Amino acid sequence: MKKQLLKKFYAFIIMILFSIVTANAQIVYTDVNPDSVLSCSSISGCSGNYSLDLNTDGINDFILGTRSSRIGCRCGGPRGGHLALADNDSALISSTSLSWIADTAGGYALNTVIDSSLGWTNVDHILASKLVYCGLCTELGVVVVRSPGSGNWNNIYGKYLALKIQVGTDFYYGWIKLGVGTDIDSVSITIMEYAYNSIPNQPILAGQTIAAGIIENSFASSINLFPNPADNHLTIALGSNNKKVDVTITDITGKIIYTITTNETNKIEVNTKEFIEGIYVVQIQAADFIGTKKLAVEK
């Protein structure tokens, strides 16, 4: 009798956790269509800025754009030689006093958790830059030298930059999907889409466009666990979701008991012989979708 009551208690706790996840996610998504492209060339100059009002309250939180710094090249002096910076084109994002940026080399991948744990900065952030400078003068004129592009986002397309804004005492987390490139004489930045979680102080996944609870309801319905309750073996049937799938099983305290990543399969076999009796949470993640299932283990 005591054992049955304990199982019911565990099941009740899991249900509460699921309802919290569903309630604490309201994603506000914006598709920039067509994509907004900004560029800067050492020949023709720059094309302007893109003002981003992440939470649509009429206040711009970030400014994305391109810029160029020119000093110029000239020949002079007794030997006719002169070294001077000719051009430094950059693609960058600027934040206000109440907005922050978090970045990593190559941008964040899809489904990266964006929350307070990231390294947030509140300064102008150069995504990529292209340096063109003057070499020695010759009889034919100045020798122009072009350096390779540099920066975390140099020729990176379709990755995510993490964003955070403050309203009052609350923080809101979001993302923006970008493409940044450098060419022989130019840099460019492409703004594709962005989103934020309108529930204060709650995380968002990079690329997430819909509330987690809604994703879970549609995706999880195609996933089956059997037998459930399990004894020494569990089969996770993935239905038609047979591309890359990440599976994580945790106990009720959140401790990871099992994890695996698979490709091109419609089922996963799990040895549960070493699992102790109790309730577990099985999370299945594929592309933009996350499904969560409850698993009972009985010996």
Side-chain angles (χ1 to χ4, degrees):
M1 182 68 177
K2 182 178 180 180
K3 187 175 181 180
Q4 292 298 322
L5 288 175
L6 186 60
K7 290 179 180 177
K8 291 181 179 179
F9 174 74
Y10 283 157
F12 174 74
I13 293 297
I14 295 294
M15 290 176 63
I16 293 297
L17 291 175
F18 287 173
S19 66
I20 291 174
V21 170
T22 302
N24 285 345
Q26 181 58 55
I27 308 304
V28 180
Y29 168 71
T30 301
D31 182 13
V32 181
N33 187 18
D35 295 344
S36 181
V37 181
L38 307 171
S39 63
C40 199
S41 168
S42 57
I43 298 174
S44 59
C46 302
S47 66
N49 298 320
Y50 183 93
S51 297
L52 175 60
D53 177 8
L54 185 64
N55 61 340
T56 64
D57 63 353
I59 301 173
N60 291 326
D61 304 300
F62 304 92
I63 297 177
L64 296 99
T66 52
R67 70 182 180 191
S68 179
S69 301
R70 290 180 175 83
I71 295 177
C73 297
R74 63 183 178 85
C75 293
R79 298 182 181 178
H82 185 74
L83 289 174
L85 177 67
D87 185 85
N88 187 5
D89 297 333
S90 301
L92 74 160
I93 178 171
S94 303
S95 54
T96 69
S97 60
L98 295 176
S99 60
W100 291 263
I101 302 159
D103 192 15
T104 187
Y108 288 110
L110 182 70
N111 290 324
T112 299
V113 178
I114 298 173
D115 59 12
S116 60
S117 66
L118 300 183
W120 297 98
T121 59
N122 185 243
V123 295
D124 286 359
H125 184 73
I126 295 178
L127 299 167
S129 63
K130 178 71 176 182
L131 177 64
V132 180
Y133 60 96
C134 306
L136 291 174
C137 290
T138 69
E139 292 181 356
L140 298 177
V142 178
V143 176
V144 177
V145 181
R146 295 170 174 84
S147 69
S150 61
N152 279 353
W153 282 77
N154 183 37
N155 294 327
I156 298 294
Y157 294 88
K159 290 298 185 70
Y160 301 89
L161 190 68
L163 307 175
K164 178 177 73 170
I165 60 174
Q166 182 177 357
V167 179
T169 59
D170 293 321
F171 293 96
Y172 296 83
Y173 296 97
W175 55 262
I176 185 168
K177 187 177 182 180
L178 301 173
V180 181
T182 63
D183 205 341
I184 295 176
D185 291 301
S186 65
V187 297
S188 65
I189 179 170
T190 302
I191 297 98
M192 304 174 180
E193 55 186 343
Y194 57 90
Y196 84 104
N197 190 340
S198 66
I199 305 299
N201 308 307
Q202 293 298 314
I204 187 174
L205 300 179
Q208 186 178 354
T209 61
I210 192 170
I214 299 174
I215 294 174
E216 183 176 306
N217 289 340
S218 60
F219 178 60
S221 62
S222 65
I223 307 296
N224 288 308
L225 309 181
F226 60 90
N228 191 8
D231 183 3
N232 296 323
H233 179 267
L234 170 70
T235 297
I236 304 175
L238 302 173
S240 60
N241 304 289
N242 60 353
K243 299 297 183 182
K244 181 181 178 182
V245 176
D246 296 306
V247 174
T248 302
I249 301 177
T250 62
D251 63 17
I252 196 171
T253 69
K255 179 181 178 181
I256 296 177
I257 305 300
Y258 176 89
T259 183
I260 190 174
T261 298
T262 66
N263 292 279
E264 303 297 335
T265 184
N266 58 11
K267 67 178 180 179
I268 297 172
E269 307 292 345
V270 182
N271 183 354
T272 58
K273 184 177 181 180
E274 302 301 323
F275 287 32
I276 63 173
E277 285 195 342
I279 302 297
Y280 295 83
V281 177
V282 182
Q283 179 176 287
I284 306 98
Q285 182 170 330
D288 294 328
F289 303 100
I290 300 175
T292 307
K293 293 282 190 176
K294 182 183 72 173
L295 169 68
V297 173
E298 295 181 358
K299 301 294 184 178

